[in-house]
Amino acid sequence: MKVYQTNEIKNIALIGSAGSGKTTLAESMVYEAGIIKRRGTVEGKNTMSDYFPVEQEYGYSVFSTVFHVEWNNKKLNIIDCPGSDDFVGGSITAMNVTDQAVILINGQYGPEVGTMNAFRNTEKLKKPVIFLVNQLDRAMVLTAFLFSILSRRALASTASSTCC
């Protein structure tokens, strides 16, 4: 196994509402990195990160799953976190050990309660955030409306965190 220097390693948490596509993104990342030969699906109950029977039964992540990929000679340690509010502790714990968070947003629904809670947690922990709008290929996605909501909420959040 290759030995990496500290500046060649990034630790990233995938967070967001339930059903926003975190596990599907994780599966795509390991596939594109060549770690697996075939992408699994949540519906097929054959993803790399949702392997516990309870996760396969419920159809969503219950536990955080850690995996890594190599990309452009860098090692990315990624944590696929549960999106259900019942298991929010998994994403908070993950953010304590990662450099940044990727908040996934389901393009059909826009920012949901879980999205806003995840964003508040990143602010509390002072973590940089990448917003990734997912599922834009689905019906009923209003892209311009979605981005205007994100812009307003991000500006409101910035304003509220700088005053008082």
Side-chain angles (χ1 to χ4, degrees):
M1 179 180 223
K2 180 179 174 183
V3 176
Y4 295 92
Q5 300 300 314
T6 305
N7 65 342
E8 297 174 321
I9 300 171
K10 265 297 190 208
N11 301 308
I12 303 167
L14 302 178
I15 60 175
S17 292
S20 60
K22 298 172 298 297
T23 298
T24 302
L25 175 63
E27 193 75 8
S28 294
M29 292 171 88
V30 294
Y31 174 78
E32 292 297 329
I35 296 169
I36 58 175
K37 300 295 180 213
R38 187 174 65 98
R39 280 187 196 135
T41 64
V42 173
E43 297 80 19
K45 301 179 182 185
N46 58 353
T47 62
M48 194 173 128
S49 59
D50 285 352
Y51 53 85
F52 283 101
V54 68
E55 293 173 315
Q56 293 172 354
E57 179 185 338
Y58 290 164
Y60 57 81
S61 299
V62 174
F63 305 102
S64 293
T65 303
V66 180
F67 63 95
H68 73 274
V69 298
E70 184 177 319
W71 197 257
N72 292 331
N73 294 317
K74 306 276 191 245
K75 182 179 181 186
L76 305 177
N77 294 317
I78 300 165
I79 304 176
D80 177 18
C81 301
S84 172
D85 290 337
D86 293 337
F87 307 110
V88 70
S91 60
I92 292 171
T93 302
M95 284 190 288
N96 279 306
V97 298
T98 56
D99 304 314
Q100 64 190 44
V102 175
I103 298 179
L104 277 82
I105 300 168
N106 184 326
Q108 291 179 296
Y109 308 123
E112 299 174 273
V113 172
T115 310
M116 301 316 295
N117 289 340
F119 184 59
R120 272 194 289 280
N121 290 330
T122 60
E123 285 184 313
K124 286 179 189 172
L125 295 169
K126 298 181 179 9
K127 297 291 179 179
V129 176
I130 297 171
F131 286 98
L132 191 151
V133 181
N134 200 7
Q135 302 176 32
L136 291 174
D137 58 336
R138 304 280 173 97
M140 301 301 297
V141 174
L142 303 172
T143 311
F145 176 68
L146 178 64
F147 287 113
S148 71
I149 290 172
L150 281 173
S151 298
R152 279 198 313 267
R153 295 217 175 149
L155 288 173
S157 175
T158 304
S160 67
S161 64
T162 55
C163 78
C164 309

